[in-house]
Structures are given as C-alpha cells and as structure tokens.
Amino acid sequence: MWNADIYNRYNKERIQPSVDLVGRLSHKNFKRILDVGCGTGMSTASISAVWKDSEIIGADLSQEMLTKAKEALPSVSFVQRDCSKSLLDMGNFDLIFSNAFIQWIPNQEKFFKNSFAMLNEGGTFAAQIPLFGEMPANQCLIETEKLFSDKLKNMNDSKFVLHSASEYYEMLSKCTDKISMWITDYVHEMDDHSKIVDFLSGTALRPHFEILDENEQERFLNELLKNIAKTYPIQKNGKVLFPFKRLFLIGEKV
C-alpha cells in the first residue's frame, strides 16, 4: 500500500522534475492530456498550471493517492486504473505524461507501445524516470536486503524494474524517431542521514514494508540508516547532500 502522507512529505523535492519536464513542453498546445500514475497529483498540478483550458485526466491505482489528488485539484478528473495495463479504452490524447511511474511496471516496452497507440497524430509522450539503480543509495539498499534475504526472497515482483538510459532509448526508438532525452542530478539538502531514509520510505521501501512486520521494518530501517551514513558524508554545516539522478524522455508521434 502507498502511504500518501509519507510520499507528500518531500513534495518540494518530488515535484521539481515534473515542473522541469512541463517547462520543456510549455510552448505546445495540448487539448487532451493524460497523467499516467499521477499519485497525489503533484505532476498533475504542474500540468494544469500551464494548460489551464485543456481536458486533463489523472490515472492511478492507489485510492489513497487519488483522494489526495482530488482534494488538491477538484477541477481535474481522476480515475482509478491499473496503469500497467492497457488504457486504450480511455481514448486518444495529445499528451501522455508520466512522472516517476514507469519504474513500477514490469513490461515497460509494452507500456511505451500502448502509450503511443493512444496518442493523436503529432502527439507527445513525456516521462521522467528515477535512475535509482545508478545511485549509491541503491547499493545501500541492496546490502541491507541481504540481512533479510529469507523474508525478502520473493520481493522482486514488486520492486523497481530498472533500466539504463540507453535501454530506455531503445524502447522509445521502436515507437518514434523523434526523441529528446537528458539526465539531471537533483541535489537534495537533507538535515541528516535519517531524512534520506525517510525520503526513500515514500517510494523505494514500499515493497519492503509490505513484507516485513513492524519489528522487522524498524530493524531494516536502522540497518539501512547505518549504510546510508557510511556512504553520504556530512557537510561542514551539518547537512547531508543527497544527489538524485533522473532521466527525462520526450517522444513525438510521427
């Protein structure tokens, strides 16, 4: 289960990538927009701030997330859907937008294909994907998982599915030859190491929490904190810098 309150705790850090992706597209006119895996509506808010007169639909599987989204953006239509499955019945769109969602889908190449099938001619697909596998925090997580291998041995089906930037390019290039892509490191200033663990609790640690009981979760978080503290140095002012690598993809249907 997603915890919307934990996810929203770092809304400033989580919303900026969607703002930046929208900024790359703000010169375009989209009449019908789909925000896939919209969560609590952070990315939807970035979209609606630019395309005020467009029909915007946000889709997500989590009812808790959608409740938060509807409270924040009552003028936007939100629907509960499993976005890892085909959404073709929702009709065609001028923009399909995905912010930090694709990594939860096992068959991501099929998701790209289905998304382009839903685009009108000349439509745009835009996505932001965390490259968590390339971050030191991921190795901290892997080392911690080894201590709980018996309990977490069947967790792979619910974890991130991570690919490299070149692999995502290959997937997207099967749908279009008009592609823009870039990578940005967002450097988050954290008060201490525990804030990094807290940040990860809203996303990457969700599958672990679904398997571990309350006592095991506490032990897991303590061990992860030790590994994080070894990896990320404390700055002279007492803060801890947490660079977060994100991939951006834009493809146009031609």
Side-chain angles (χ1 to χ4, degrees):
M1 288 291 291
W2 284 95
N3 187 312
D5 290 330
I6 292 177
Y7 185 83
N8 274 354
R9 198 173 293 159
Y10 295 92
N11 60 345
K12 182 181 74 172
E13 290 83 2
R14 298 193 196 281
I15 198 172
Q16 191 59 49
S18 66
V19 172
D20 295 342
L21 185 53
V22 164
R24 289 287 185 113
L25 302 168
S26 59
H27 63 286
K28 292 178 174 287
N29 180 29
F30 301 117
K31 293 182 179 180
R32 195 163 191 258
I33 301 171
L34 175 63
D35 187 8
V36 184
C38 65
T40 60
M42 287 183 191
S43 53
T44 323
S46 302
I47 293 168
S48 61
V50 172
W51 296 287
K52 297 179 175 65
D53 299 323
S54 301
E55 179 188 0
I56 301 170
I57 301 174
D60 200 277
L61 181 60
S62 169
Q63 186 56 58
E64 182 181 356
M65 291 286 203
L66 289 173
T67 298
K68 293 283 186 181
K70 290 174 183 177
E71 290 173 356
L73 298 165
S75 63
V76 174
S77 298
F78 290 98
V79 295
Q80 186 175 22
R81 293 292 298 263
D82 183 348
C83 297
S84 67
K85 296 182 170 61
S86 174
L87 302 174
L88 287 168
D89 59 291
M90 296 181 68
N92 287 359
F93 294 86
D94 301 302
L95 170 63
I96 295 179
F97 193 93
S98 173
N99 184 60
F101 166 71
I102 292 175
Q103 71 275 11
W104 294 108
I105 304 174
N107 192 337
Q108 297 173 19
E109 188 169 326
K110 187 175 181 180
F111 174 78
F112 280 75
K113 183 179 178 180
N114 287 342
S115 295
F116 271 81
M118 296 170 64
L119 285 174
N120 290 316
E121 186 176 351
T124 299
F125 172 85
Q128 180 272 122
I129 307 168
L131 293 179
F132 189 69
E134 301 178 17
M135 294 170 50
N138 185 55
Q139 190 58 42
C140 294
L141 185 55
I142 291 171
E143 293 301 316
T144 306
E145 289 172 351
K146 291 177 181 178
L147 302 175
F148 297 81
S149 56
D150 287 345
K151 286 296 294 279
L152 300 176
K153 59 185 176 182
N154 297 320
M155 189 183 62
N156 286 340
D157 290 342
S158 58
K159 284 186 67 176
F160 283 163
V161 178
L162 304 167
H163 298 287
S164 67
S166 62
E167 288 171 326
Y168 280 116
Y169 175 83
E170 291 295 339
M171 292 183 204
L172 192 57
S173 65
K174 293 178 181 179
C175 302
T176 180
D177 59 3
K178 200 168 183 182
I179 299 171
S180 299
M181 61 185 295
W182 68 96
I183 295 171
T184 300
D185 274 320
Y186 290 85
V187 182
H188 304 314
E189 182 190 61
M190 299 297 195
D191 290 335
D192 53 43
H193 292 109
S194 68
K195 298 301 182 184
I196 297 178
V197 175
D198 195 37
F199 183 96
L200 297 176
S201 295
T203 50
L205 301 186
R206 182 179 65 87
H208 305 75
F209 293 165
E210 291 178 352
I211 295 173
L212 301 174
D213 62 34
E214 192 171 324
N215 289 332
E216 290 166 337
Q217 287 180 29
E218 185 177 355
R219 285 173 42 224
F220 187 92
L221 292 174
N222 287 336
E223 291 297 329
L224 178 59
L225 178 59
K226 292 177 186 177
N227 289 329
I228 292 289
K230 293 175 187 176
T231 304
Y232 292 90
I234 299 174
Q235 302 299 124
K236 290 183 178 179
N237 65 354
K239 303 288 187 179
V240 179
L241 298 183
F242 181 44
F244 205 105
K245 189 181 296 291
R246 297 182 184 273
L247 170 68
F248 294 83
L249 298 170
I250 296 175
E252 295 184 32
K253 187 171 184 176
V254 294

